[in-house]
Amino acid sequence: MRKYIFIILTCIVAVLTASAVDFSGSADAIKRFCSARGMKRAHVGFCVMDLQTGEMKVAYCERDSFIPASVTKLVTSATTMKAQPEGFSFITTVACRGRVVDGTLKGDLVVRGSLDPTVESRFFKKHPSFIEQCLRAVGRFGITKIEGRVVVDNTIYHENPVPDDWEDPDVAEDYGAGLFALNYADNQALLKFETTADSLCLVDVTPKCSFGVLDNRVRIVGAKSATRLRFFRKKNSETLRITGSMSRQSKPYTYRSTMSDAHRAFVNALTDSLVAHGVEVGGHKHERHHHEETIMVYSSPLLDDIVKSLLYRSDNMFAEAVLRANSVGFDKTITRKHSLKKERHILKDWHVDLSHVNLYDGSGLSRSNHFTPVFLASTLRAAYLDPKLGKRYSALLPVCGRNGTVRSLLCDTRLDGRIALKSGSMNAVQSYAGYFPADEPRYAVVLMANRFTCSHSDIRRLIELLLLDVFDEKTADNS
């Protein structure tokens, strides 16, 4: 009953405050968009849906299936926010496995992974450091020696970090970081190289032990030659291959890649920190002790803050963690497929049509995802009308001309700051989805384009023109 009262009140407010919007010129605007250079062979879908009535105000190939790219994160975020309580955060615990006798832990220090994507993240620097909190906990319990090791308990999640359908060329790039039971420092490694007379030398890695084997095939060429390097790692491989050529240079060359093993990097970092603070770590293998005592409970930032960060930056690893989070607290072991099943249940409860839709991951990095514009618009509408989400959800989307990956889109136009959109982009794929107006949403807006041949900068300019035509100046002023 409370849900229906909320919807009725929302409708009344909308009727009282909204002005009529004329979309009569939309068909011509879409025709111009689709006939532009580089778009004639493209597959385009566009829709504008009234949030209160569900009426389709603008519709073009809205039931066709498209590769969505990162607008997938909108579905991931909305459904997990629906599944979990408003104050949800990831909870990571640290326990002594074995008894502490005269300051010596006769066993292992166990860190139980929770899928938290923010542990020592550079994007949450103001949040308490996990490692610092752990050092304090060890000190409070009077531990000065650990006979065993620092170990990660991955019971909650032990699938391959990188899904099978992600493409190998993406895996070495910083946006291709995989998901672990315990994630550390964004699961990314900063590599520092220097050139000698005839070779490229790796001189530093931060964090330490954050990747496995380096297969360096780089040629050093003349000082005036251009640097052309390619970094490559196969899915779930330890080997990072570097090919290409590089000119000799006096300054170090840095590259941010992905970790092949976040657990190993974390264990190394925590072990080094313990030793630096006077705690001896023996490193001996111990048989599993029945006695365990929790010495620290660590909470991540709130889910809403994590969602805002991942939507603004389009962080794939964060999105994969948020997808799995819809099952945290319900299952001891979590899988991608089970979390997708939970996501589908929520969408069906929202009466969202899943026809011609394939959900493969939480981030949209896989080309196996397929969405229809009407599916995405319906999901945005359902999330906005849900009394648990509403403006709490819509306010997390970046705003065109202001922030996130759309901060340059529609900048210095009459729609600057007027539309909240999430972008999605990969080779021959460009999508945008969100709400108009940004502050008091009345419409869900979805545009999806596949198979275009123009550049991404060109299609973004065309999209700007399309949106300016659809939401004309009169509409923007009166809305």
Side-chain angles (χ1 to χ4, degrees):
M1 179 61 71
R2 187 177 299 173
K3 174 181 178 180
Y4 295 110
I5 292 173
F6 174 85
I7 294 173
I8 291 169
L9 290 174
T10 304
C11 291
I12 292 172
V13 171
V15 169
L16 292 174
T17 59
S19 58
V21 179
D22 181 13
F23 291 107
S24 60
S26 298
D28 289 338
I30 294 170
K31 185 177 180 180
R32 287 192 294 272
F33 178 78
C34 293
S35 61
R37 184 177 180 181
M39 296 299 296
K40 293 182 180 179
R41 296 181 181 179
H43 186 202
V44 176
F46 184 46
C47 68
V48 177
M49 179 183 286
D50 189 297
L51 292 174
Q52 304 306 326
T53 66
E55 180 185 356
M56 202 70 75
K57 296 294 187 178
V58 180
Y60 182 81
C61 296
E62 76 279 9
R63 298 189 182 275
D64 288 2
S65 185
F66 295 83
I67 298 172
S70 283
V71 291
T72 303
K73 295 177 175 71
L74 292 170
V75 182
T76 302
S77 302
T79 51
T80 296
M81 287 174 66
K82 175 64 175 177
Q84 294 292 0
E86 185 170 346
F88 173 84
S89 61
F90 296 88
I91 304 297
T92 306
T93 59
V94 179
C96 293
R97 184 177 289 167
R99 298 190 180 276
V100 178
V101 180
D102 297 329
T104 298
L105 170 57
K106 295 186 175 298
D108 298 324
L109 189 69
V110 180
V111 182
R112 191 158 286 114
S114 67
L115 294 165
D116 180 359
T118 70
V119 174
E120 307 299 342
S121 170
R122 69 184 187 278
F123 304 111
F124 285 93
K125 290 182 178 180
K126 293 183 179 180
H127 196 72
S129 162
F130 183 95
I131 288 179
E132 289 179 5
Q133 297 280 359
C134 188
L135 294 174
R136 292 192 186 101
V138 168
R140 284 196 303 271
F141 275 76
I143 300 170
T144 57
K145 180 179 179 180
I146 300 170
E147 285 189 352
R149 301 166 296 165
V150 174
V151 297
V152 172
D153 181 342
N154 69 340
T155 301
I156 192 171
Y157 183 76
H158 42 73
E159 292 187 320
N160 283 335
V162 177
D164 290 341
D165 279 18
W166 283 15
E167 297 183 355
D168 284 341
D170 293 328
V171 174
E173 303 295 334
D174 56 0
Y175 61 82
L179 180 72
F180 295 80
L182 194 147
N183 303 290
Y184 174 62
D186 305 307
N187 296 349
Q188 297 174 4
L190 187 63
L191 311 180
K192 181 178 178 181
F193 299 90
E194 290 182 356
T195 55
T196 63
D198 56 359
S199 64
L200 180 69
C201 299
L202 179 65
V203 295
D204 189 38
V205 180
T206 306
K208 294 180 181 179
C209 301
S210 52
F211 83 102
V213 179
L214 183 65
D215 181 7
N216 185 354
R217 304 183 183 185
V218 176
R219 295 180 297 106
I220 302 299
V221 293
K224 294 183 179 180
S225 301
T227 295
R228 296 184 178 89
L229 298 184
R230 181 171 179 261
F231 292 77
F232 181 83
R233 188 204 305 277
K234 290 185 178 180
K235 287 184 286 288
N236 304 303
S237 169
E238 288 279 310
T239 302
L240 177 66
R241 181 190 303 165
I242 316 176
T243 57
S245 60
M246 183 176 183
S247 62
R248 295 186 186 92
Q249 53 190 51
S250 57
K251 294 182 179 180
Y253 177 85
T254 58
Y255 180 80
R256 187 174 292 279
S257 187
T258 53
M259 293 186 188
S260 60
D261 191 341
H263 292 173
R264 181 175 60 203
F266 170 81
V267 166
N268 180 79
L270 181 53
T271 300
D272 285 353
S273 295
L274 287 165
V275 172
H277 281 75
V279 179
E280 182 182 347
V281 181
H284 303 296
K285 289 186 177 181
H286 276 260
E287 292 185 8
R288 187 182 182 93
H289 292 269
H290 294 293
H291 177 80
E292 280 196 15
E293 183 176 5
T294 299
I295 66 169
M296 187 182 89
V297 177
Y298 178 85
S299 298
S300 75
L302 295 178
L303 176 62
D304 288 22
D305 295 327
I306 294 173
V307 166
K308 183 174 183 178
S309 178
L310 80 86
L311 291 179
Y312 273 48
R313 299 180 296 101
S314 202
D315 192 301
N316 295 314
M317 187 272 285
F318 273 47
E320 295 304 323
V322 168
L323 171 66
R324 276 63 163 191
N326 69 29
S327 301
V328 170
F330 304 100
D331 301 283
K332 290 184 178 180
T333 302
I334 295 171
T335 66
R336 175 177 56 84
K337 288 184 178 179
H338 187 275
S339 294
L340 289 169
K341 184 178 180 181
K342 182 73 174 289
E343 184 174 73
R344 291 187 191 96
H345 282 316
I346 293 170
L347 292 167
K348 287 178 180 178
D349 287 344
W350 276 341
H351 304 291
V352 174
D353 185 4
L354 294 173
S355 301
H356 309 295
V357 171
N358 185 55
L359 299 161
Y360 180 83
D361 61 21
S363 61
L365 192 55
S366 169
R367 289 179 176 268
S368 294
N369 295 293
H370 287 93
F371 290 2
T372 63
V374 69
F375 158 74
L376 197 47
S378 299
T379 300
L380 290 167
R381 176 176 181 251
Y384 186 73
L385 293 180
D386 191 298
K388 185 178 179 181
L389 275 63
K391 285 189 179 180
R392 172 187 159 215
Y393 172 71
S394 64
L396 300 178
L397 274 66
V399 177
C400 290
R402 302 297 172 85
N403 41 45
T405 58
V406 294
R407 62 185 174 274
S408 62
L409 188 75
L410 295 167
C411 185
D412 296 328
T413 72
R414 60 181 176 271
L415 293 181
D416 187 330
R418 300 283 302 171
I419 306 182
L421 292 177
K422 173 74 189 78
S423 65
S425 179
M426 56 174 57
N427 186 33
V429 175
Q430 186 66 64
S431 302
Y432 289 97
Y435 297 104
F436 176 84
D439 53 350
E440 294 289 340
R442 294 212 311 277
Y443 304 101
V445 184
V446 179
L447 190 149
M448 308 179 81
N450 290 179
R451 304 200 305 264
F452 51 87
T453 57
C454 60
S455 67
H456 279 278
S457 59
D458 285 343
I459 194 173
R460 281 192 286 267
R461 283 193 290 272
L462 293 173
I463 289 170
E464 286 183 320
L465 293 174
L466 174 61
L467 292 174
L468 287 166
D469 283 344
V470 170
F471 299 100
D472 62 29
E473 189 168 6
K474 180 181 178 182
T475 299
D477 289 342
N478 291 342
S479 62

